[in-house]
């Protein structure tokens, strides 16, 4: 495990690392998750062997610190990941990012283009103000203190054992602020940033999640959209072969 201080108080973002050839692949998890849990099984596959890999836990999540005075906006998270990559000596990385992590990766690619050569986004959040049925909207609908006091426990009960296993390692205040930041989105919004990027961009949409809104606009901007059969939001669990092929660029 490695770490880097990302704020003035010396709070640390942490990641585990697999050695290998460059460019590195950097794995970024979603809201209430952890990178290694969602991605380590993928990097063990033969088609992905031999490359350097970093499994980054966003601030407030997993093994990273959870400062109480941190904003946890998309820009804040992207800054922390940039500090980790600078410390690790990473440039021109391939970012493999899921859900909220995809939104963070898009912001990072816009703010620090030297760090990113390719994006593989799995059901990334592209728009602000998601529908009320989205998990982030449900969390953000609480007032922060109420969520910390009682809402966090109710959400843990509701999300089920798989997501709950990593969400219970997420600081409740960080979880709420991250959800609020995700719902507010970036400026310009993530979809606009993604369409304006020049790096190779792949967007994975689980077949069970339904049609991707705005797919035509993304494809017109050069984003390759792949519908993954037999998969929902967690493509890397539901169809790991297709996920690995997309990461390897052999799909």
């Amino acid at each position: 495990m490695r770490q880097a201080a990302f704020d003035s108080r010396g709070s640390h973002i942490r990641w585990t690392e697999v050695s290998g050839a460059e460019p590195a692949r950097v794995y970024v998890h979603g809201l209430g998750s952890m990178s290694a849990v969602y991605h380590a099984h993928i990097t063990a596959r033969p088609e992905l062997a031999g490359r350097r890999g970093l499994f980054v836990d966003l601030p407030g999540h997993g093994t990273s610190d959870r400062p109480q005075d941190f904003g946890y906006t998309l820009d804040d998270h992207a800054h922390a990941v940039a500090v980790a990559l600078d410390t690790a000596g990473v440039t021109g990385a391939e970012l493999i990012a899921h859900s909220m992590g995809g939104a963070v990766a898009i912001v990072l690619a816009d703010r620090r283009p030297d760090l990113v050569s390719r994006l593989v986004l799995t059901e990334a959040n592209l728009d602000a103000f998601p529908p009320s049925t989205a998990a982030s909207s449900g969390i953000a609908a609480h007032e922060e203190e109420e969520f910390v006091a009682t809402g966090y426990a109710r959400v843990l009960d509701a999300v089920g054992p798989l997501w709950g296993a990593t969400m219970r390692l997420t600081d409740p205040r960080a979880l709420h602020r991250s959800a609020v930041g995700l719902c507010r989105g970036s400026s310009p919004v993530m979809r606009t940033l993604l369409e304006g990027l020049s790096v190779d961009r792949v967007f994975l949409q689980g077949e069970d999640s339904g049609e991707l809104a705005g797919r035509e606009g993304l494809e017109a901007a050069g984003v390759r959209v792949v519908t993954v059969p037999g998969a929902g939001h967690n493509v890397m669990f539901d169809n790991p072969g297709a996920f690995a092929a997309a990461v390897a660029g052999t799909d």
Side-chain angles (χ1 to χ4, degrees):
M1 185 184 297
R2 298 188 62 187
Q3 64 181 18
F6 63 85
D7 66 8
S8 61
R9 296 178 179 269
S11 305
H12 288 88
I13 184 171
R14 296 187 176 90
W15 66 97
T16 52
E17 188 168 330
V18 177
S19 61
E22 303 286 348
R25 293 189 176 115
V26 178
Y27 298 87
V28 187
H29 60 82
L31 182 68
S33 300
M34 291 178 65
S35 285
V37 172
Y38 276 69
H39 295 112
H41 67 292
I42 294 297
T43 62
R45 296 178 66 94
E47 60 266 44
L48 296 179
R51 288 280 291 278
R52 185 183 182 190
L54 288 77
F55 303 94
V56 180
D57 287 344
L58 295 171
H61 294 69
T63 60
S64 290
D65 286 346
R66 45 208 69 203
Q68 297 297 290
D69 57 351
F70 191 64
Y72 297 98
T73 66
L74 292 177
D75 275 289
D76 289 335
H77 282 302
H79 165 73
V81 175
V83 171
L85 300 189
D86 285 338
T87 301
V90 170
T91 58
E94 298 182 8
L95 265 61
I96 320 301
H98 180 226
S99 198
M100 183 186 80
V104 174
I106 292 167
V107 172
L108 177 63
D110 176 74
R111 307 311 194 239
R112 289 288 307 275
D114 57 309
L115 296 179
V116 182
S117 63
R118 183 172 184 247
L119 291 173
V120 180
L121 307 172
T122 304
E123 298 221 350
N125 298 78
L126 298 180
D127 302 304
F129 309 109
S132 59
T133 53
S136 55
S137 292
I139 293 171
H142 295 78
E143 293 297 327
E144 182 173 311
E145 295 306 325
E146 184 274 328
F147 180 79
V148 172
T150 60
Y152 176 65
R154 291 197 301 271
V155 169
L156 278 177
D157 286 340
V159 298
L162 182 65
W163 194 5
T166 56
M167 188 179 286
R168 67 173 179 247
L169 302 177
T170 306
D171 179 79
R173 199 172 302 277
L175 182 66
H176 182 268
R177 291 182 188 173
S178 295
V180 170
L182 181 58
C183 290
R184 289 176 178 165
S186 60
S187 182
V189 75
M190 297 84 76
R191 184 182 296 272
T192 299
L193 294 179
L194 179 61
E195 291 177 347
L197 294 172
S198 59
V199 298
D200 181 42
R201 295 150 293 163
V202 180
F203 193 104
L204 304 181
Q205 177 78 356
E207 178 184 41
D208 298 343
S209 297
E211 186 60 35
L212 174 64
R215 177 173 184 151
E216 297 81 3
L218 292 174
E219 291 178 330
V223 180
R224 188 161 64 91
V225 180
V226 179
T227 300
V228 182
H233 187 60
N234 296 323
V235 175
M236 68 290 295
F237 294 149
D238 298 337
N239 193 335
F243 184 84
V247 173
T250 59
D251 60 317

